[in-house]
Amino acid sequence: MPRRLTGFTPSGHLHLGNYLGAMRPIIDGQATGDTVVFISDLHALTLDHDPREVRDRTLEFATLLLAAGLDPDACLFMVQSHVPEHAELHYLLECVTGYGEAQRMIQFKEKSRRQEQVRMSLLTYPILMAADILLYDTAEVPVGDDQRQHVELARDLAVRFNGRYGETFTVPRTVNPPVAARVMDLSAPKEKMSKSTSAAAGALRLLDEPAHLRRKIMRAVTDAGTTVTYDPDQSPGVANLLDILAGCTGAQPGALAAGFDRYGDLKHAVADAVVETLAPIQRRYVELAADPDHVRDVLRTGARKARAIAADKVRRTEAAIGLLPA
Ligand code: AQP
């Protein structure tokens, strides 16, 4: 099984999109796959941030991943900053990246437009992401369209480095996340549900109380029509609700549409399914959160395992690029 890697950036609250699109597929595949999962805390520093928030969210994300069923014995699971080799390889890869290449990244252009003070790390963030990927000889990176260009950069850097300095990195490729993996914002269904940009009403947070989840779903934007049909272009709000129901139940969204006459009935069914899907995770989260030392131990063990692999890769990269071994 090719090695797969996924990072979760502690830039807000984990939501149902993160769960259906990323967490659940990882957990379902962890027994058979060669899986790397990490909390990408360094990436959370590329935009204006609150230090305490990042620290607290990092532990919360780790606890939630374990609560959802991530098995730290079956995969490599750690916090990015606990493995300093990520930052070391980042620098070495900067030395094979062109300035124009980094500036061309669409996400940089979009995010920098929204900032008064653009951090240098926002420009170099895709190179750090390339380091995350190449450090572990990752073969496959499941990402949505917005991250595809960054994985392409990682590919280009791997090919360029291997060509100039000798075979060092596995060349990664993107793979599509599962069907209906993109959960949209409940109040703005043309935008994706997002940790950092969705308003609280638009995102179903994994730790929202059941009553709160229900309220958000009942208030979700639909459209002026009355019949329930699955049409993401004409009726994105209704399609999103059907996608969420499909994601929670395993049925097909088109087939589900036929079972509802009114939007209200669909919303009630979605609310039941979401609350039921998240209930066991929320219960387990409460148990695990009562013992943060255990979670931190898991992360320390994960970082030790990751460093054993990452340190070797950095040593080989340094030797290839021309650095004198200490
Ligand atoms: N709305 C979504 N639907 C399905 N999958 C999603 N993911 C994110 N949003 C959705 C997937 O979750 C994983 C972790 O994402 P991330 O931490 O890298 O954040 P992101 O992709 O940049 O998206 P977010 O959660 O909206 O965060 P912000 O607001 O900080 O950008 C990834 O596998 C991602 O595809």
Side-chain angles (χ1 to χ4, degrees):
M1 185 75 183
R3 180 169 287 171
R4 283 190 173 198
L5 171 137
T6 306
F8 294 87
T9 304
S11 53
H13 296 269
L14 281 175
H15 51 70
L16 190 73
N18 297 128
Y19 178 68
L20 295 178
M23 292 167 70
R24 197 177 61 183
I26 294 168
I27 290 159
D28 289 348
Q30 65 187 347
T32 48
D34 186 352
T35 307
V36 184
V37 181
F38 67 107
I39 319 283
S40 35
D41 55 348
L42 296 175
H43 291 296
L45 311 184
T46 55
L47 297 171
D48 201 18
H49 76 285
D50 173 352
R52 191 184 165 150
E53 271 276 306
V54 171
R55 202 178 304 120
D56 291 352
R57 294 280 160 258
T58 299
L59 186 61
E60 183 185 287
F61 277 30
T63 311
L64 266 167
L65 279 156
L66 295 172
L70 191 82
D71 176 359
D73 293 325
C75 53
L76 212 50
F77 175 47
M78 71 286 179
V79 173
Q80 185 185 29
S81 66
H82 295 181
V83 182
E85 287 78 7
H86 285 253
E88 289 176 32
L89 187 61
H90 175 199
Y91 177 74
L92 297 173
L93 291 178
E94 277 188 358
C95 301
V96 289
T97 311
Y99 175 61
E101 214 171 12
Q103 261 194 331
R104 264 199 304 278
M105 294 292 126
I106 295 162
Q107 223 185 50
F108 171 71
K109 289 187 194 161
E110 285 172 1
K111 288 192 172 175
S112 57
R113 222 176 283 136
R114 285 186 246 134
Q115 301 291 308
E116 250 177 56
Q117 293 273 334
V118 179
R119 296 181 181 185
M120 194 62 198
S121 56
L122 186 65
L123 178 67
T124 60
Y125 143 80
I127 310 169
L128 177 57
M129 182 169 157
D132 302 335
I133 295 168
L134 301 184
L135 208 45
Y136 300 101
D137 282 325
T138 306
E140 296 183 347
V141 192
V143 286
D145 288 342
D146 49 344
Q147 292 287 339
R148 211 167 283 272
Q149 197 188 20
H150 295 167
V151 181
E152 282 305 314
L153 178 70
R155 273 182 77 84
D156 290 347
L157 297 184
V159 169
R160 188 175 306 154
F161 194 101
N162 289 347
R164 276 189 201 161
Y165 305 115
E167 209 54 40
T168 308
F169 299 116
T170 297
V171 179
R173 67 184 188 94
T174 52
V175 288
N176 288 326
V179 186
R182 174 142 290 220
V183 177
M184 309 309 279
D185 187 302
L186 295 180
S187 21
K190 290 194 170 154
E191 310 289 326
K192 74 164 188 162
M193 191 175 282
S194 154
K195 282 189 249 101
S196 56
T197 57
S198 285
L204 296 167
R205 295 174 176 172
L206 300 189
L207 292 176
D208 276 345
E209 299 275 342
H212 204 180
L213 292 167
R214 283 185 191 280
R215 216 169 24 248
K216 289 183 185 181
I217 293 165
M218 295 313 290
R219 288 181 186 164
V221 166
T222 45
D223 58 40
T226 47
T227 50
V228 178
T229 48
Y230 184 68
D231 185 343
D233 289 330
Q234 296 303 317
S235 193
V238 176
N240 188 36
L241 290 171
L242 288 163
D243 277 333
I244 292 174
L245 187 58
C248 291
T249 60
Q252 287 302 314
L256 284 170
F260 297 98
D261 290 329
R262 294 181 319 176
Y263 291 159
D265 296 339
L266 170 63
K267 286 179 171 178
H268 279 295
V270 173
D272 288 345
V274 169
V275 167
E276 200 177 306
T277 300
L278 297 186
I281 300 170
Q282 295 187 342
R283 266 198 304 276
R284 184 77 185 119
Y285 176 84
V286 171
E287 290 165 10
L288 286 167
D291 187 4
D293 288 344
H294 165 70
V295 177
R296 296 187 68 167
D297 269 347
V298 169
L299 293 173
R300 274 185 215 109
T301 306
R304 259 198 310 277
K305 283 198 270 178
R307 288 200 73 182
I309 300 170
D312 182 56
K313 180 60 77 180
V314 168
R315 256 195 317 273
R316 286 177 46 205
T317 312
E318 286 173 342
I321 207 169
L323 301 181
L324 180 69

